[in-house]
Amino acid sequence: MTDLFWLTDAQMARLAPFFPKPHGKPRVDDRRVLSGIIFINRGLRWRDAPAAFGPHKTLNNRWKRWSDKGIFARMMAGLAGEHGEQKTVMIDATYLKAHQTATSMAAEKRGRGRLIGRTKGGINTKLHAICDSRGRPLDLFVTAGQVSDYIGDRALLSTLPDVDWLLGDRGYDADWFREAWKYKGIRACIPGRKQRKKQAEYDKRRHKRRNRIEIMFGRLKDWRRVATRYDRCPKVFLSAIALAALVIFWL
């Protein structure tokens, strides 16, 4: 029992405003079920859930139902909205390996809607993220592995907070990209691609702080269900990432 994860009363109080209203029969104890869901997502199969959290079917059903409604993503977005960042944000993307359970039946469905693609590193999904100057994720977006970083940037552009600086790697070096941030009053600190005829100027000292988003990705991948995608449904997989971000950085 002592090695199990349990949400505290203070943590439950922060999450409670995002819970959906029960209809009809009251839900099973929220604290027990959510604690079990978090414990499983860190590195177990549903059938291996400890008895202290109740039947694994109850945990799995709540997980699928709330993931489909976007509850976990709203929890993460709601708490991340309290970030208070005014100076610097960082943008980057990373690959997450897709397990065979997530890629099965791809031929039947022709892979559409799964957000799973093939790259040099194999079959995977790409996670795009924006984080603050402390390395805490502010917004998340998933695409198929072969999709350009620019696609993720377009999706995250509208949710960017009002800050002074944006840090990114060479993968985001494009004139339209820099103009888009400039239009929002944000200065881009991004090194130019080597094939540029005229290299873009950037603050090298400031750019070194970008390692914080790499550290953030590393901490997220400590969770088994984030580092390896087991879920066929991309909405459920994004919920697993949002849940990890929520517990690691915002609770």
Side-chain angles (χ1 to χ4, degrees):
M1 288 287 290
T2 57
D3 294 332
L4 302 182
F5 175 87
W6 292 99
L7 289 164
T8 65
D9 292 339
Q11 291 171 333
M12 286 297 297
R14 297 189 68 193
L15 295 177
F18 304 99
F19 294 170
K21 294 181 179 180
H23 299 283
K25 186 178 180 180
R27 291 195 301 262
V28 179
D29 180 43
D30 287 328
R31 180 171 179 262
R32 190 190 77 194
V33 173
L34 288 179
S35 297
I37 288 173
I38 292 171
F39 190 79
I40 292 299
N41 272 275
R42 292 165 73 176
L44 290 178
R45 298 180 302 173
W46 292 103
R47 69 183 63 181
D48 296 328
F53 295 127
H56 74 274
K57 280 288 187 181
T58 301
L59 303 181
N60 196 0
N61 289 341
R62 175 82 66 91
W63 167 247
K64 293 293 180 63
R65 187 169 64 252
W66 281 22
S67 294
D68 187 59
K69 293 181 179 179
I71 302 298
F72 298 106
R74 286 202 293 270
M75 287 179 182
M76 185 267 173
L79 296 187
E82 305 171 1
H83 58 84
E85 182 62 56
Q86 299 179 349
K87 189 68 174 177
T88 303
V89 294
M90 309 167 198
I91 187 170
D92 205 353
T94 189
Y95 294 105
L96 303 172
K97 200 76 171 179
H99 191 265
Q100 61 184 8
T101 57
T103 59
S104 61
M105 295 177 63
E108 179 180 337
K109 294 181 178 291
R110 298 185 180 179
R112 292 179 294 184
R114 294 274 184 96
L115 301 185
I116 296 174
R118 185 179 296 276
T119 65
K120 292 182 179 179
I123 300 176
N124 49 51
T125 294
K126 183 180 285 188
L127 169 63
H128 308 261
I130 287 180
C131 76
D132 63 9
S133 59
R134 297 168 58 183
R136 301 177 301 177
L138 304 181
D139 200 5
L140 305 168
F141 185 70
V142 293
T143 64
Q146 79 280 5
V147 173
S148 167
D149 290 351
Y150 297 138
I151 302 298
D153 170 64
R154 288 194 181 100
L156 298 172
L157 181 61
S158 61
T159 61
L160 195 73
D162 185 15
V163 293
D164 298 329
W165 288 90
L166 170 77
L167 309 186
D169 61 17
R170 284 190 172 89
Y172 297 94
D173 177 34
D175 292 335
W176 71 263
F177 179 85
R178 295 176 183 273
E179 290 298 323
W181 298 116
K182 186 177 180 180
Y183 178 77
K184 295 176 69 71
I186 300 174
R187 300 175 64 183
C189 184
I190 302 172
R193 293 179 182 270
K194 294 181 179 179
Q195 62 267 34
R196 264 187 178 269
K197 294 181 179 179
K198 182 180 179 181
Q199 286 296 318
E201 296 183 0
Y202 70 102
D203 188 333
K204 293 183 179 180
R205 183 175 180 181
R206 185 181 300 275
H207 189 261
K208 289 181 179 180
R209 303 174 188 173
R210 201 188 63 82
N211 69 328
R212 294 172 189 175
I213 194 170
E214 300 289 355
I215 295 172
M216 180 204 75
F217 283 139
R219 294 186 66 185
L220 288 176
K221 290 180 182 181
D222 284 340
W223 285 44
R224 176 174 176 260
R225 288 186 173 270
V226 174
T228 303
R229 175 177 174 177
Y230 294 90
D231 300 294
R232 293 178 183 174
C233 176
K235 201 168 186 179
V236 176
F237 182 54
L238 181 59
S239 293
I241 301 171
L243 183 65
L246 175 72
V247 174
I248 296 172
F249 298 100
W250 295 110
L251 279 183

